[in-house]
Amino acid sequence: MTQKVRLVHYLNQFFAGIGGEEKADLPPAEREGALGPGIGLKAALGQKGEVVATVICGDGYFNENLAEASKTVVKMIAKHKPDLVVAGPAFNAGRYGVACGAVAKVVLEEIGIPTVSGMFAENPGVDLYRKFAYIVETGNSAASMRQALPKIAKLALKLGRKEEMGPAEAEGYLQRGVRQNIFVAKRGSERALDMLAAKLNKRPFETEYPLPTFDRVEPAPAVEAVKQSKIALVTSGGIVPKGNPDRIESSSATKYGRYNLAGVDDLSAASYETAHGGYDPTYANQDSDRVLPVDVLRQLEAEGEIGQLHSYFYSTTGNGTSVANAAAFAAEIAGELVNEGVHAVILTST
Amino acid sequence: MVKEIERKGLPVVHLCTVVPISLTVGANRIVPTVAIPYPLGDPALGPEKEKELRLKLVKQALQALETPVQEQTVFSRD
């Protein structure tokens, strides 16, 4: 019998069963064998592979200490001499996705072994780290765990046995932006004409080289002097008047709020809180200025260091919120800000 | 969000802790902050020192808004 593929599983504090956001500051830790989703992964691997250890790190800790956490995690992983690493799946959890991707990168660079992960296509971890991992596309929540694990296991076994890996669509991972030379029966000119004919006849065809889409916005010109400028505050950190009057969702937001700051010099615990469900709310609830710095902007306004603080702030929750929704909110917000004579924006994120 | 606001011609400074995410979403002026649950504070410092820290970060943000940039720029914390 061939040897079992050895893998180390990387999990965040939540999927390891240690705790929610209040435990997001957990430094790297390790456990023998499989844990949490690792149990399902183990079942999907069957007799062909095993989860030899699980390395865990809090999402907050990892993201705030990217370099140091990567170093510690890779050491913990290397000890077990695995054939590969499975990280996540992270679904649409942004910080978890970034952590999984960063683990893949450091594992490839330091140990030279591959990583399989699973993420929702909009997870920022995909764009940042697609080159370093084989990322299976998942749904946006852990509800799709059961569909994700067999796909991850399949890729893991293939990579662990060093079998040849085919292109993204065929193997079921998100494109990594890696080009591979292959032999095909038809030469390039024929294939190009086939494609053109299909396009002209409105038949489906698949490009062999998708052009990268860069949706970049040119930096707007700097303001001449903030002393004469009207500055607006916008946040994806979910700061809202106490009680969350607009019922902005704690994740996957479908709306944003616009709140009056007239006469507000300080965001007190009695009047403001966060609606965000993606980070430990303790500190923002004690003092929302920690996320939305109204107090110091009022001070700077009084000192004449800024022209004016715009009398409304805008807020939504950035976790799990679709890019389409966030873009639509921001386009509306920006339109209002321009109409109201705002010159520049401070946007805070958690 | 940063990108859609900037598309309308308003300069935006993004204050955030996870700089790589800010870079992928396309922010052009980025000021790195303290921690995810308290980007502009630090409960360990006590109220006075904490407000000083916040003031420093906000001043840095304002400076970033006054700085012409040609590409994505991370204004390092000093």
Side-chain angles (χ1 to χ4, degrees), chain A residues 3-306:
Chain A
Q3 256 189 331
K4 276 190 181 184
V5 169
R6 293 168 61 81
L7 68 86
V8 174
H9 196 190
Y10 175 82
L11 290 176
N12 72 356
Q13 83 286 352
F14 177 75
F15 283 100
I18 292 171
E21 287 303 330
E22 78 288 357
K23 298 280 184 197
D25 57 354
L26 177 88
E30 54 185 321
R31 304 276 189 276
E32 288 298 315
L35 196 69
I39 310 280
L41 180 63
K42 196 172 139 183
L45 294 167
Q47 292 302 307
K48 295 167 187 159
E50 63 181 325
V51 180
V52 291
T54 304
V55 173
I56 305 151
C57 185
D59 285 336
Y61 187 92
F62 198 104
N63 280 271
E64 287 165 9
N65 306 282
L66 209 58
E68 184 252 301
S70 297
K71 219 184 256 177
T72 313
V73 166
V74 77
K75 258 188 218 154
M76 288 178 171
I77 292 173
K79 250 187 2 211
H80 299 279
K81 302 199 185 336
D83 299 307
L84 82 155
V85 171
V86 168
F91 308 104
N92 200 18
R95 285 168 305 147
Y96 192 17
V98 169
C100 287
V103 167
K105 181 169 187 270
V106 70
V107 154
L108 186 68
E109 288 169 352
E110 305 280 322
I111 322 178
I113 57 171
T115 295
V116 182
S117 187
M119 297 181 204
F120 184 61
E122 286 189 358
N123 191 314
V126 173
D127 261 356
L128 279 169
Y129 295 106
R130 61 185 341 137
K131 272 195 291 195
F132 306 99
Y134 292 86
I135 305 172
V136 168
E137 184 170 359
T138 68
N140 68 358
S141 79
S144 62
M145 181 73 83
R146 213 142 39 115
Q147 289 77 30
L149 289 178
K151 294 181 196 164
I152 290 172
K154 196 179 121 209
L155 281 183
L157 289 174
K158 203 159 187 178
L159 287 164
R161 294 159 163 181
K162 302 193 172 53
E163 288 171 15
E164 204 174 315
M165 186 57 80
E169 298 76 31
E171 300 281 1
Y173 56 89
L174 290 166
Q175 285 203 356
R176 306 172 65 222
V178 176
R179 266 201 283 175
Q180 210 169 6
N181 287 323
I182 52 165
F183 287 103
V184 289
K186 276 190 185 175
R187 65 171 185 231
S189 52
E190 283 179 68
R191 303 203 305 276
L193 286 173
D194 286 350
M195 230 184 273
L196 182 62
K199 186 172 184 177
L200 291 172
N201 289 304
K202 298 196 164 57
R203 276 187 280 121
F205 65 93
E206 210 171 294
T207 175
E208 291 180 16
Y209 186 58
L211 292 174
T213 50
F214 291 112
D215 181 26
R216 289 284 174 219
V217 172
E218 290 285 307
V223 292
E224 263 174 50
V226 288
K227 285 191 176 176
Q228 272 102 51
S229 302
K230 189 169 175 179
I231 312 279
L233 275 172
V234 179
T235 186
S236 63
I239 301 302
V240 290
K242 191 108 181 166
N244 189 9
D246 294 315
R247 295 178 177 251
I248 295 173
E249 299 90 339
S250 62
S251 81
S252 306
T254 61
K255 52 193 154 192
Y256 62 89
R258 174 180 187 260
Y259 303 107
N260 199 333
L261 280 175
V264 179
D265 293 331
D266 190 6
L267 303 183
S268 67
S271 311
Y272 291 88
E273 62 182 357
T274 181
H276 200 294
Y279 64 89
D280 183 349
T282 314
Y283 311 102
N285 287 345
Q286 281 167 357
D287 180 0
S288 292
D289 293 295
R290 285 169 175 158
V291 176
L292 199 72
V294 171
D295 60 348
V296 298
L297 281 164
R298 282 293 187 217
Q299 183 186 328
L300 291 166
E301 187 182 41
E303 292 168 355
E305 292 296 321
I306 62 166

Side-chain angles (χ1 to χ4, degrees), chain B residues 3 5 18-19 22 26 28 30-32 35 42 53 70-71:
Chain B
K3 209 160 59 181
I5 295 174
V18 190
V19 173
S22 180
N28 288 315
I30 303 166
V31 172
D42 187 347
L53 169 72
Q70 303 304 319
E71 54 185 27

